[in-house]
Amino acid sequence: DDGVCTFVSELSKGADQVPTYCQDEREKLSKVVSSPIERSDSLISSGQIPLVSLLLVAGLWLGALASFIFAHPVPRDIVTSRASSLAMWARTVWLPAAIVAGQGLVRGLVGGIVLDLGVGQTIALMALLVAFAASFVLANHALAGWLGNVGRGISMLLLVVTVALGLSSALGWLAPLGVVSPLQNGFTLVRTWLAGGSGEVGIATVSVLMFVIAATASYLAIALRRRITADQFRRAVTTAA
């Protein structure tokens, strides 16, 4: 009997402490309970790092693409020149590479200031972007050298795909194109490194592999154009006449 009386007495006290809510408050609380965290499909909504990373690498890629819109990817004297293929290749890519590398230094400095990085991290970011600048220039030279305007169109497509994947996770069906894109790989590595994520070694390995492939394709775009067939020679002579 004493226990039951104590239970009833304490239960009555507790009932007085139970809060009451009006209809509007109940509706608001039900929404909070059902969805306590607002999720966005945007990959850049969680902070500055993804957005800054995207802007840094996309700007470098655009600079590399523009380089071979204004400059000839294949020298006009590729057949008549007595210089070696390596010398002609270096002569073709060194100026675009230097310009885009300079952009990488400036972008790395700006990125370090925006993200409030330390001096060491800012220098590392600048060095990373310079390395990607060289890779992007070689990739764009290879595309333009082998495919001309079609290659430039593919380069622009890769830029659009990376920006689309960076802005929304709902476009995951574009991911297969991102797998073969040096730009997407660069964005992933920069974002992962700045965020302190895992898997940097694997991503960096893929970056090195893509650099080697781009450099090889870029060099061959020059070296394999040093000779012309008899038909090409006759057409050139006819055109000149």
Side-chain angles (χ1 to χ4, degrees), residues 2-240:
D2 291 341
V4 171
C5 290
T6 302
F7 174 73
V8 172
S9 175
E10 296 300 323
L11 188 61
S12 299
K13 294 178 181 178
D16 295 335
Q17 299 175 6
V18 174
T20 59
Y21 302 99
C22 66
Q23 182 64 27
D24 292 340
E25 291 173 332
R26 287 196 296 270
E27 291 178 359
K28 185 179 297 184
L29 286 173
S30 66
K31 292 180 181 179
V32 172
V33 172
S34 63
S35 181
I37 300 177
E38 189 75 20
R39 178 185 176 277
S40 173
D41 287 334
S42 174
L43 296 180
I44 65 174
S45 61
S46 58
Q48 285 184 310
I49 288 178
L51 175 59
V52 172
S53 301
L54 180 61
L55 292 176
L56 291 176
V57 296
L60 285 181
W61 184 268
L62 190 59
L65 170 60
S67 296
F68 294 104
I69 292 177
F70 296 102
H72 293 286
V74 178
R76 297 183 183 274
D77 60 343
I78 189 170
V79 176
T80 59
S81 175
R82 304 181 70 176
S84 66
S85 297
L86 182 61
M88 296 195 72
W89 173 71
R91 188 184 73 187
T92 302
V93 302
W94 82 267
L95 183 57
I99 293 173
V100 181
Q103 294 177 10
L105 290 174
V106 174
R107 290 178 180 277
L109 178 60
V110 173
I113 294 173
V114 171
L115 296 175
D116 196 23
L117 303 178
V119 175
Q121 280 187 303
T122 300
I123 294 174
L125 177 60
M126 294 167 68
L128 184 61
L129 292 181
V130 168
F132 276 121
S135 179
F136 292 172
V137 166
L138 294 174
N140 276 277
H141 175 253
L143 287 170
W146 283 106
L147 302 175
N149 288 331
V150 174
R152 296 181 181 96
I154 293 174
S155 177
M156 181 59 69
L157 175 62
L158 295 178
L159 175 62
V160 172
V161 167
T162 298
V163 172
L165 290 174
L167 293 178
S168 177
S169 60
L171 299 174
W173 55 274
L174 291 174
L177 288 175
V179 172
V180 298
S181 171
L183 174 57
Q184 179 66 27
N185 174 262
F187 167 55
T188 303
L189 180 57
V190 172
R191 182 184 63 184
T192 303
W193 177 73
L194 287 175
S198 59
E200 296 176 7
V201 175
I203 303 172
T205 302
V206 175
S207 299
V208 173
L209 178 61
M210 288 186 170
F211 178 88
V212 172
I213 293 174
T216 303
S218 174
Y219 172 74
L220 292 178
I222 299 294
L224 297 183
R225 303 285 182 86
R226 302 302 305 275
R227 298 175 182 176
I228 61 174
T229 64
D231 289 339
Q232 290 174 327
F233 178 75
R234 280 194 293 268
R235 285 197 297 267
V237 171
T238 302
T239 303

